[in-house]
Amino acid sequence: MDAPHSRPRWRRAVDRVVDRLVAKRIATVDAVVEVPTPLRPIDLSDDAEVTQVLELAERVGEVVLSSGTAVTDTTTQIEFIAATYGLADVDIDVTYNAIRISADRGPNLPPASTMRVVQYRTLDFTRLAAVDRLTRRIRREIVPVEDAHAALAELTSAPHPYNRWVATAGWALLAASIGLLLGGGWLVAVCSCAATAAIDRTNRALNYRGLPTFFQAMVGGAIATVPAILLATLPHRIEANPSLIVAAGITVLLSGLQLVGAVEDAITGAPITASARMLEVLMVTGGIIAGVALALRGADLLHAGVPPIDINAGRTTANLPIKVAAGAVGSLAFALACYAERRALAAAAVSGGVATAFYLLTQRYGEVGPIFSSGVAACVVGLAGGLMARRALTPPLVVAMAGITPLLPGLSVYRGLSALLNDQQSVGLSQLLAAFGVGCALAAGVTLGEWIARLLRRPRILNRVKNIRRPSVETGEFPIIRS
């Protein structure tokens, strides 16, 4: 190998940049492996201690599962925490909204079982990252169970890191970025920004009053359509594409849904949770479509203008620097709206900009459709998320969800809906199926990219650990169990 000082200056600079991005760390879920003998194993005959460990593992699993993490990664973290304290033989059943654990304590003791229902809350990436760091700390220090419970209770009950109006500004900025990315001008961006801010504040009030999510999606779809109807009704001297406002609103409403987790669960063998998550995504999408349809029908009854469909509008390489910047800002805005930490915002922005560039360039020069281009861009996002998460100590899910958000098929959904309302069933169904295909390609690409990232710097312990020492229930000694 060449000595470092003998390499060209540009190569040394590239090496430094790459090292700063990926470092030598690995994501927490990649570091979670079957652990050797616990340093301070609990007494397996003490029901109270065993229950404490199981509850700790379940509560950690609740946070990561409710954030959209796949079942396999959630199960791995739960299994690791249980094994850290001596419960090495556990059966874990993770479904859409429940976690069940059964621990085998040896032939002379009955198994210990527990279950926890997962309560879904507003996405808070700061809370997710804090739980990620707590898992690292448990792995590194073997934290006493009582202290781990106290730390987990503190971080899960903590308020959001900044004011709710900051999150509203994030959603509004995301809509403006999507409008620019789709080829709209500044008027489209401003209208999209204002409409999305109204959607967020309205749905926040409705959620406080307990309105189901489906109807909140309907209200959001209707509000997103109103500015487009007003622009279409005004004199034609205003040069703007009103349909892009609706598309930007739909994209914002689709963002944050557990599409990535649903497809990853289906790929990795968790069909029950995958079906439940996908049904949730489809129901919310149906609510958005219903809201847009009601607004358009209302405009037709009032003889107002209906936003026209520009078949040529979309993500093209025209004004490429502006669109790449819009993709980066959109991903940053999504991470901000989900209360991400400051160091995660930069990783999200890089992910969104790179994904947008790969999507546009692949579609232009590869001469392929949006589905294949979306898959390629999402694969890059998953790879980047797995690598950058090591440096930023941010869960890869944060980077992945933020990175694919600018590529969500809001315009295809609106085109399909508009065609269906105008009795063009074949066109409408083809557009909606294309939107569904893009969504699946995005999720599958992220899954593949994260898998590649894990292989690039696989923990050496996985290659050299052959015998796992576990505590003996009867004597407390540590016999070697050979596979």
Side-chain angles (χ1 to χ4, degrees), residues 29 68-74 258-271 273-274 277-278 396-397 400 439-440 442-451 454:
V29 71
T69 303
V71 167
T72 52
D73 291 343
T74 302
Q258 298 187 0
L259 180 62
V260 175
V263 176
E264 187 171 355
D265 286 337
I267 293 174
T268 55
T273 307
R277 284 178 166 177
M278 188 60 71
L397 179 69
C440 290
L442 289 173
V446 167
T447 303
L448 179 60
E450 290 181 351
W451 178 78
R454 292 173 184 178

Side-chain angles (χ1 to χ4, degrees), residues 5-173:
H5 62 273
S6 64
R7 297 174 184 173
R9 181 176 300 178
W10 65 268
R11 183 175 174 182
R12 287 180 297 190
V14 170
D15 289 343
R16 285 195 298 269
V17 171
V18 172
D19 184 67
R20 286 184 177 277
L21 284 176
V22 306
K24 295 182 179 180
R25 302 187 183 103
I26 54 176
T28 299
V29 71
D30 303 334
V32 169
V33 297
E34 191 174 12
V35 296
T37 299
L39 299 180
R40 287 180 299 204
I42 62 170
D43 181 3
L44 299 184
S45 63
D46 189 329
D47 293 339
E49 284 194 56
V50 172
T51 302
Q52 273 190 318
V53 172
L54 294 180
E55 288 183 351
L56 175 64
E58 281 184 332
R59 291 178 64 193
V60 170
E62 178 184 13
V63 174
V64 297
L65 182 67
S66 63
S67 300
T69 303
V71 167
T72 52
D73 291 343
T74 302
T75 301
T76 302
Q77 294 212 33
I78 294 173
E79 183 178 11
F80 172 78
I81 291 177
T84 300
Y85 295 101
L87 298 178
D89 191 1
V90 293
D91 293 320
I92 302 169
D93 180 25
V94 179
T95 57
Y96 173 69
N97 63 346
I99 299 174
R100 300 173 182 85
I101 307 178
S102 177
D104 185 0
R105 298 188 288 175
N108 299 325
L109 292 172
S113 302
T114 183
M115 187 193 80
R116 188 175 187 88
V117 176
V118 177
Q119 301 293 337
Y120 285 82
R121 303 173 62 182
T122 302
L123 274 180
D124 189 335
F125 287 155
T126 294
R127 182 181 297 118
L128 179 62
V131 171
D132 185 271
R133 287 192 292 271
L134 178 60
T135 303
R136 290 176 182 267
R137 181 185 165 201
I138 290 174
R139 176 178 183 267
R140 183 178 64 251
E141 302 176 7
I142 315 297
V143 180
V145 182
E146 296 81 5
D147 294 347
H149 268 286
L152 185 60
E154 181 180 358
L155 65 91
T156 53
S157 61
H160 293 307
Y162 32 80
N163 190 279
R164 188 65 180 81
W165 279 102
V166 177
T168 299
W171 291 120
L173 182 60

